[in-house]
Amino acid sequence: MNRITHKLRENKKLLSIYFTAGYPQIDDTKTILEQLEKSGVDVVEIGLPFSDPLADGPTIQASSTQALKNGMTSEKLFEQLKDIRKSVSIPLIIMGYFNPMLQYGIEKFCQKCEEIGIDGLIIPDLPLEVYTEEYQEIFQQYGLQNIFLITPQTTEERIQQIDQVSEGFIYMVSSASITGSTNSFGEAQQAYFERIDQMQLQHPQIVGFGISNAETFQKATKFAKGAIIGSAFIKHLTENGTQHIDGFIKQIRM
Amino acid sequence: MSTTNHINEQGYYGEYGGAFIPEMLYPNIAQLKENYLAILSEQSFQEEYQQLLRDYVGRPTPLYFAKRLSEKYNTNIYLKREDLCHTGAHKVNNTVGQILLAKRLGKKRIIAETGAGQHGVATATVCALMGMPCFVYMGEIDMKRQAPNVARMKMLGAEVIPSTSGSKTLKDATNDAIRDWINHPEETHYIIGSVVGPHPYPDMVARLQSIISQEIKLQLQEKENRTQPDHIIACVGGGSNAAGAFYHYLDEKEVNLIAVEAAGKGINSGESAATSQLGNNGIIHGSKTLLMQSKDGQITEPYSISAGLDYPGVGPMHAHLFSSKRAEFLSVTDDQAMQAGAELTKLEGIIPAIESAHALAALGQKKFQPDEVVVINLSGRGDKDLETYINYFDL
């Protein structure tokens, strides 16, 4: 069974962490993954950096620019992850924009992911329609779950469509924003979380964008199965390097 | 087969186009896609659009027979004088149309990206005209290079927001405008300045610029008793003026379409913006098209002396015209363009924008017959480029 599916069956709220591969140092990828697993993180999204990350705020943009300067590429990332399943067993997802994957070759990319033991992909700029028409078969052939996003503006009809095509979980964007926004999850967000919960979708939802501490984690997971922290963790890496990752995680899930 | 060079129902020109957008943009793009054709063909829209083009922009722009230039190249050269449009370039044709569309969609706030500042000025202008708040994203480096246009936009009431990410130029300004749209999904309309971006933008902008070739047809009929020139020449950055000049001739194969890209310091110099020569298939700003990128799929930074041509992609229509060989693609260096700009100034008393000077420089690369009719789209005037001309020619 896919590690994501397995993890989603555990009777607890899931904490997922995003980080940009190749940041702060080019060779930090493996250390960060091992530290995250040791600290009790449930799922990790490994960001493949892109020169033009449309959906990301300044924190992730800056980390991507630095990672590219450090020399990160698809090839390099796959090389770093070659033996990762010897030391890390939690679900791993690669999150990245479509163009670098397209240039690598989609089938070759998926094949590499399977060899390494990657469980899923999140590609914000690969729309549902193009995925189902052109790529779904390839993803499935290599056992990769493709995770789709929904937002407060997504219509109910489209959420149902996404639920039909989804595997694993649905990535629920907390508000109309790019990554790294500050958010207190007020009434509007709570109403949105509840509305989605009441739709009784087949796939559990994990909330992302705007989660940075214990309070926002708790609010986001009141209805949803889990939550994803990205920019706040990148800031931690900027300030501390790969030190004190355990402390950062412990303060989220007290 | 009469529509092969136009967009299909899925939003593609051949294999190029589509809408590779994050889900956050889906409702806005869907709303545009579902409404743009109906709005553009509404009678009230057309009346208002045509009236503004006539009385505010100053259309039709002249189709001018350039006698001395024709003598020099021993052929018949007409200049389509988009440089005489209000604000100094063809860009305003699109912004007038899009702001009328934005109003009909109930939008209250306008955003735009700009490179050289011409599209930003054209957007700020129509926002002033309609009393709409206007936010223009511009690369921090471009803001320094194009200070007079920044001042114009401010005077027109727009807020100019510096883009400080990535390479701090046009592609980053476009990224930031898209991010703004994600952050303000309901009340905002994004006026893209070229035939780029996710479907339906390339088609919508091409339709709003198609007034250029519509007028060429009528004007040539008057002057030459024919609607078709033998050749139409236009410069291509993203490709909006070329799309407008080619539009009504796309499926008339007798007409040779010539697209001129900026070679910068030379195609293989590492400082160029000739996307068709240096690019390959990929995705930029939500569109599958030709773009300049690294082997690893990172978008690279183009260079041209002309700030309006240094975009690392081309619109999907042009990618299709290139790959299907419907259009001929030439590339012109900084030096060739500057000489062509100086030549037009001396022979005809017209100082062209450096973008348009690239189209003029095609005259030095192609041999035209004495009985042929050549239309060159003079997309903009050179006022904004005076400093570059001064420095280059040591005036």
Side-chain angles (χ1 to χ4, degrees), chain A residues 188-233:
Chain A
Q189 260 97 36
Q190 291 294 334
Y192 159 59
F193 296 158
E194 199 171 347
R195 172 166 67 84
I196 301 300
D197 186 55
Q198 284 169 355
M199 284 183 73
Q200 304 267 319
L201 301 171
Q202 301 169 44
H203 297 90
Q205 303 92 52
I206 297 191
V207 180
F209 290 38
I211 296 138
S212 57
N213 52 28
E215 189 201 341
T216 43
F217 179 77
Q218 262 172 9
K219 281 187 178 169
T221 52
K222 186 175 165 198
F223 295 105
K225 178 68 184 170
I228 304 164
I229 296 177
S231 298
F233 182 64

Side-chain angles (χ1 to χ4, degrees), chain B residues 344-362:
Chain B
L344 185 75
T345 307
K346 292 209 174 84
L347 290 177
E348 300 288 347
I350 298 170
I351 302 176
I354 298 172
E355 290 80 3
S356 318
H358 283 73
L360 292 160

Side-chain angles (χ1 to χ4, degrees), chain B residues 296-332:
Chain B
D296 196 48
Q298 309 298 339
I299 297 171
T300 52
E301 192 53 25
Y303 162 83
S304 164
I305 193 167
S306 154
L309 297 180
D310 61 359
Y311 183 68
V314 286
M317 175 202 278
H318 297 296
H320 176 64
L321 294 177
F322 175 76
S323 76
S324 69
K325 300 193 166 61
R326 171 64 189 95
E328 186 179 348
F329 277 66
L330 304 178
S331 44
V332 158

Side-chain angles (χ1 to χ4, degrees), chain A residues 49-56 61 68 73-74 98-100 102-103 124-125 127 149 151 153 158 176-178 209, chain B residues 19-24 26-27 165 171 175 178-179 182-183 185-186 280-283 291 293 295-299:
Chain A
F50 181 47
S51 55
D52 295 75
L54 289 180
D56 287 303
Q61 284 171 43
L68 292 172
T73 64
S74 304
F98 195 43
N99 197 52
L102 204 56
Q103 300 312 316
D125 58 344
L149 276 56
T151 81
Q153 278 71 36
R158 190 164 169 85
S177 75
I178 52 177
F209 290 38
Chain B
F20 293 80
I21 47 166
E23 192 62 32
M24 294 79 110
Y26 183 85
S165 65
K171 81 177 172 71
N175 293 337
I178 292 173
R179 290 177 187 124
I182 290 173
N183 286 332
E186 275 158 12
N280 55 338
N281 290 357
I283 288 161
L291 64 123
Q293 55 187 321
K295 188 167 86 347
D296 196 48
Q298 309 298 339
I299 297 171

Side-chain angles (χ1 to χ4, degrees), chain B residues 127-201:
Chain B
C127 286
L129 180 69
M130 298 294 167
M132 302 255 270
C134 180
F135 300 85
V136 179
Y137 288 87
M138 188 169 187
E140 201 175 41
I141 291 176
D142 288 335
M143 283 179 74
K144 287 192 189 118
R145 291 198 290 202
Q146 309 286 333
N149 272 341
V150 175
R152 284 169 86 191
M153 288 184 269
K154 286 184 179 164
M155 190 169 171
L156 288 158
E159 189 175 321
V160 184
I161 305 163
S163 287
T164 55
S165 65
S167 53
K168 305 178 176 62
T169 60
L170 177 57
K171 81 177 172 71
D172 309 284
T174 309
N175 293 337
D176 278 340
I178 292 173
R179 290 177 187 124
D180 180 304
W181 212 18
I182 290 173
N183 286 332
H184 302 90
E186 275 158 12
E187 77 280 27
T188 299
H189 175 69
Y190 176 20
I191 301 188
I192 292 185
S194 192
V195 287
V196 301
H199 176 65
Y201 276 104

Side-chain angles (χ1 to χ4, degrees), chain A residues 9 12 16 20 37 48 50 110 116 126 158 165-166 180 237:
Chain A
R9 291 190 181 168
K12 66 175 202 184
S16 178
T20 307
E37 171 154 306
L48 179 64
F50 181 47
C110 291
I116 288 164
L126 175 61
R158 190 164 169 85
V165 179
S166 286
L237 291 175

